[in-house]
Amino acid sequence: RSRPMSGDAAIVAVVGLPLLTLLLTQTSISLGSALLLYLLLVVVIAAIGGAWVAGLSAIAAFLIVNWYFTPPVHTFTVSEGQNVLALVVFLVVAAVVSALVTLAARRSLEAARARREASSLVQLAGALLAEDDPLPGIMHELQVTFGLTTASVLRPSGEGNWTIVASAGDGTIAQPSDATATTELPDGSVFAYRGPN
């Protein structure tokens, strides 16, 4: 599997915050513009990796902006009330936007998963209607839909031995103990699989 998205977001935060700070400190940028640029970075981090990483990034950005761009600079003291308000509003907006972006990304993933599963069910139904022996097609659809390495239906053949009724994926599973997990079927057979990938 690929690295979790929160890991990608952490990398963007660790690299992006110092890089953006370096670029902005080389220019004479206003506090408002700096806050907007940091907010954009926090939103990108939220879209990649979720609310926790984005929340920590927002707090880090809040402290960075306070230190480098809020008079008096290089202190955590804020001399003007409107700048205090700007920093607090930045933190609240960053938190709310991060939560909304994370929720939208999660719903998008759930919708994509639901579409894949619905498509798989349609194809399974088609296999049941179109083939004399639909089991190989069903096994293939299950293996692909759920990202399994191997899926097999095993039937007990006496004295602890098993017969492979159908299989899909890389290699075969000769007995239940070779599988990641198993599910017992009504006729005494077993659905066994390895994975997901």
Side-chain angles (χ1 to χ4, degrees), residues 85-104:
L85 180 62
L87 288 169
V88 170
V89 168
F90 164 79
L91 200 54
V92 171
V93 170
V96 171
V97 170
S98 297
L100 291 175
V101 168
T102 301
L103 180 61

Side-chain angles (χ1 to χ4, degrees), residues 5 13 18 33 42 54 65 81 95 97 107 114 128 150 156 158 160 167 178 194:
M5 294 179 73
S33 298
V42 169
V65 170
V97 170
R107 286 182 175 172
L128 286 169
T150 310
S167 187
D178 295 336
R194 293 195 195 104

Side-chain angles (χ1 to χ4, degrees), residues 2-76:
S2 60
R3 180 176 57 245
M5 294 179 73
S6 58
D8 294 336
I11 291 171
V12 172
V14 168
V15 173
L17 287 169
L19 184 59
L20 180 59
T21 303
L22 179 63
L23 292 173
L24 295 183
T25 52
Q26 305 303 311
T27 64
S28 55
I29 192 167
S30 69
L31 175 61
S33 298
L35 287 172
L36 286 174
L37 289 171
Y38 280 103
L39 180 61
L40 176 61
L41 180 58
V42 169
V43 170
V44 169
I45 292 167
I48 295 171
W52 282 108
V53 179
L56 293 173
S57 300
I59 293 169
F62 172 89
L63 296 172
I64 290 169
V65 170
N66 192 357
W67 183 264
Y68 286 102
F69 304 103
T70 307
V73 295
H74 301 143
T75 70
F76 289 112

